Amino acid sequence: MRPAPGRLRVSQLQRTFSSTASIRMKIVPVPVREDNYAYLLVDEPTNKAAAVDPYDVPKVQAIANQLGVSIVAAITTHHHFDHSGGNEASKYPGAPVYGGSDKIPKLTNLIKDKDEFVVGEHIRVRCLATPCHTQDSICYYVTDTANASQPGSVFTGDTLFIGGCGNFFEGTGEEMHAALSYLGTLPDETVTYVGHEYTAKNADFAITVEPTNADISRLYRMTRENAITTGKSTIGDEKLWNVFMRPQSEEVKKATGLAGNESAIVTKLRQMKSSFKG
């Protein structure tokens, strides 16, 4: 039986993700609620960090204390309470709260597509507007300005999951297809940090859509070997094993009974996934 994400100790998280952290930029996942992720985005030379979707502020702060870092900003992927709710409980007066609409609690810095800001002195954050799950959904592409060889990372909230995508609560299949295609323009080595631990269920579904795809088999094995999968996929991986990013696949077309209109295929896939009982 795999341990629930929320039960993993901080020491386990640090060991798990030490290989993905550069000398200056480190990302630490913080499991919250049943399957959500908050994150600490740490600029190590300055010991300053941004809290990404810090739903459980005491838990995020406890991990910041263990790391010896100060939280100087909050980054919000969208306004849903399980991502933005921690903003209300923020203990960081004066710290900017970044987000894509005034629906986000305690918002101080309204951002839009292609806006940029800096965390600490070395981490550049580029904002990518990806409306669909919500109209204020923003993904955040982060890079270490002092280490060009270090791959960037992207916080995708509830837009892109490992092997899946979010519900279209405020958008359409056309918008989700556009959002995923936009994320697909990031470098293939970009590491993905998602909003929920849904990977095992996504893999179960994907196998029914593309049963001969060896990369989906690789994804399936990865979910059976890891309780936490965030940070273990790249944009390049998603292009290979995420059926929502593969509407051009002949197997995906066959599974949906559609061809040609990729937005319609993404819409059909989302309907199939929502009713999937596997």
Side-chain angles (χ1 to χ4, degrees):
M1 178 173 160
R2 298 186 302 166
R7 295 178 183 172
L8 289 181
R9 296 186 298 272
V10 176
S11 59
Q12 291 176 286
L13 293 171
Q14 287 177 265
R15 288 197 300 271
T16 301
F17 290 89
S18 60
S19 64
T20 66
S22 73
I23 294 173
R24 296 178 183 273
M25 182 175 77
K26 177 161 63 178
I27 296 171
V28 179
V30 184
V32 296
R33 301 179 79 247
E34 294 181 358
D35 53 35
N36 278 74
Y37 286 114
Y39 296 93
L40 285 169
L41 171 63
V42 181
D43 181 44
E44 292 211 289
T46 63
N47 286 326
K48 293 181 178 179
V52 181
D53 287 352
Y55 174 85
D56 187 335
V57 172
K59 186 172 185 180
V60 172
Q61 183 60 57
I63 294 181
N65 292 343
Q66 292 184 41
L67 295 171
V69 301
S70 300
I71 296 176
V72 297
I75 297 173
T76 310
T77 60
H78 61 292
H79 71 263
H80 286 164
F81 184 74
D82 59 326
H83 295 264
S84 69
N87 296 354
E88 292 282 9
S90 175
K91 300 178 180 179
Y92 318 110
V97 176
Y98 295 93
S101 82
D102 58 10
K103 293 182 179 180
I104 291 169
K106 304 294 185 180
L107 182 76
T108 64
N109 290 52
L110 179 65
I111 46 88
K112 61 184 185 302
D113 188 46
K114 296 185 174 63
D115 282 350
E116 295 188 356
F117 57 91
V118 174
V119 173
E121 295 178 1
H122 309 99
I123 300 174
R124 177 178 292 120
V125 183
R126 178 153 58 95
C127 306
L128 310 175
T130 53
C132 181
H133 181 72
T134 64
Q135 285 298 303
D136 61 3
S137 290
I138 301 285
C139 297
Y140 297 91
Y141 176 60
V142 297
T143 53
D144 181 348
T145 60
N147 186 355
S149 65
Q150 176 66 27
S153 298
V154 61
F155 298 102
T156 60
D158 287 1
T159 295
L160 172 71
F161 298 125
I162 298 177
C165 72
N167 284 298
F168 309 167
F169 287 131
E170 297 181 7
T172 65
E174 183 175 4
E175 286 178 308
M176 183 57 77
H177 179 48
L180 298 178
S181 297
Y182 190 13
L183 292 173
T185 66
L186 294 173
D188 280 352
E189 63 269 22
T190 302
V191 181
T192 60
Y193 290 93
V194 298
H196 291 267
E197 185 56 58
Y198 291 160
T199 313
K201 292 179 180 178
N202 289 340
D204 289 344
F205 172 69
I207 286 174
T208 69
V209 176
E210 282 193 285
T212 68
N213 184 334
D215 291 294
I216 292 177
S217 297
R218 179 167 60 93
L219 172 65
Y220 182 87
R221 290 193 300 271
M222 186 258 279
T223 69
R224 271 56 190 174
E225 295 167 358
N226 297 276
I228 283 185
T229 60
T230 192
K232 294 185 176 296
S233 174
T234 65
I235 290 296
D237 288 325
E238 294 305 312
K239 292 177 181 178
L240 296 174
W241 66 34
N242 189 325
V243 296
F244 293 91
M245 295 186 77
R246 296 175 52 77
Q248 75 286 352
S249 158
E250 291 304 319
E251 277 195 309
V252 171
K253 292 176 183 177
K254 180 179 179 181
T256 59
L258 299 170
N261 187 328
E262 294 188 351
S263 296
I265 291 172
V266 171
T267 301
K268 180 64 174 180
L269 285 169
R270 184 61 259 181
Q271 292 169 348
M272 291 166 61
K273 175 62 171 64
S274 295
S275 61
F276 180 66
K277 303 301 183 183

